[in-house]
Amino acid sequence: MIADKIKLYNAQNNVQMKLKAVLFDMDGVIYDSMPYHAEAWIKTLAHYGVTFTPIDVYENEGRTGAATINEVFERQLGRTATDSELTEIYAMKSRIFDEINTITPMRGVANLLKKVKESGTAIYIVTGSGQKSLLEKLDHNFPGIFARERMITAEDVTKGKPDPEPYLNALAKAHLMPWEAIVVENAPLGVQAAKAAGIFTIAVNTGILPDDTLTKSGADIVYPSMEKFAEKWEDLLLAGK
């Protein structure tokens, strides 16, 4: 299936994939963190009189914190948040998230990262998150895998996902063309951003949304877990090189 999907991508884009890098989202891909982000967002926004559900959290995953706050403010309050509200709300959300302190790597991801590194394929992080507690854990949990110069975070963009800017920035930083990378995402907005940047996109459905949400967002392949994707890495590597 992977070979067929890559052939289709090549034909649709009139290119020949030559895989040199994997661009990983972080939350829900590297870390099993989305349930805790959901809890933190729901508690924080309730404090400000705004209703936010788990579905809302997963559907907005990938946006920067400010964009998430403004999206729900515009929808429910008919206005954007003030600068002070943005600062206060995101600080509260981050504090609640950090207090949970039970974030663990996604099952199967360590094995996948090991395979990717051993293949000589570059590894990048492209996340809409500015959650310093997670970014600082990467080197501890995955020593020798990630480097700050190979990360695009909320601090590095003016437009978050679903805008392609985060992935376009990653391609520019890596000096790569779209067909020289693949993206690993778990969120609809992240998939949309990657596809808008012209990159072959694998979605791993580690959340609560149905598979077809990711497919309709443009995912080339959807896997049910990082473990299942790790099992297929060699097939992808062969088809992409």
Side-chain angles (χ1 to χ4, degrees):
M1 181 178 75
I2 290 175
D4 290 339
K5 293 292 187 180
I6 289 178
K7 285 179 182 177
L8 178 61
Y9 168 84
N10 287 341
Q12 289 175 335
N13 295 278
N14 194 29
V15 298
Q16 182 63 47
M17 182 183 288
K18 185 172 178 58
L19 183 59
K20 296 180 180 179
V22 183
L23 314 181
F24 287 94
D25 179 38
M26 184 172 67
D27 292 294
V29 172
I30 301 298
Y31 285 111
D32 190 9
S33 51
M34 282 307 299
Y36 309 104
H37 280 295
E39 181 178 343
W41 275 120
I42 290 166
K43 286 182 176 178
T44 299
L45 289 169
H47 180 78
Y48 287 85
V50 176
T51 301
F52 212 49
T53 69
I55 292 291
D56 289 328
V57 175
Y58 281 85
E59 287 182 342
N60 281 277
E61 182 188 352
R63 296 189 197 275
T64 62
T68 299
I69 295 163
N70 276 328
E71 191 279 333
V72 70
F73 263 51
E74 288 174 348
R75 179 157 45 89
Q76 293 193 27
L77 304 180
R79 65 175 180 88
T80 58
T82 65
D83 288 345
S84 62
E85 285 173 328
L86 289 173
T87 301
E88 291 169 7
I89 292 170
Y90 195 71
M92 182 177 180
K93 181 265 173 182
S94 296
R95 184 173 65 254
I96 292 173
F97 180 87
D98 289 343
E99 287 170 354
I100 296 169
N101 199 29
T102 55
I103 312 303
T104 57
M106 189 65 68
R107 289 182 61 180
V109 75
N111 181 37
L112 174 61
L113 291 169
K114 180 174 181 288
K115 289 182 177 183
V116 176
K117 184 175 182 180
E118 288 176 349
S119 74
T121 309
I123 296 172
Y124 283 77
I125 286 280
V126 184
T127 176
S129 177
Q131 196 78 41
K132 295 185 186 303
S133 58
L134 282 188
L135 292 167
E136 290 168 357
K137 284 183 179 180
L138 285 168
D139 194 50
H140 171 73
N141 292 132
F142 309 100
I145 297 292
F146 297 106
R148 183 63 187 89
E149 63 270 17
R150 291 186 175 182
M151 295 183 193
I152 300 293
T153 73
E155 296 178 357
D156 302 308
V157 298
T158 56
K159 299 177 183 177
K161 303 169 186 178
D163 192 276
E165 183 190 9
Y167 284 110
L168 292 174
N169 284 1
L171 291 174
K173 181 172 278 194
H175 304 289
L176 296 176
M177 301 303 291
W179 54 88
E180 294 178 318
I182 65 165
V183 164
V184 183
E185 267 284 355
N186 71 306
L189 297 186
V191 171
Q192 291 173 34
K195 293 304 294 181
I199 309 171
F200 187 88
T201 303
I202 291 174
V204 183
N205 194 357
T206 60
I208 62 176
L209 302 177
D211 283 357
D212 69 349
T213 302
L214 296 165
T215 302
K216 289 175 181 176
S217 294
D220 293 286
I221 302 175
V222 179
Y223 289 110
S225 67
M226 293 300 291
E227 292 169 303
K228 288 296 183 183
F229 176 39
E231 291 174 6
K232 300 295 183 180
W233 168 252
E234 285 79 8
D235 294 339
L236 189 149
L237 189 62
L238 181 63
K241 286 196 172 180

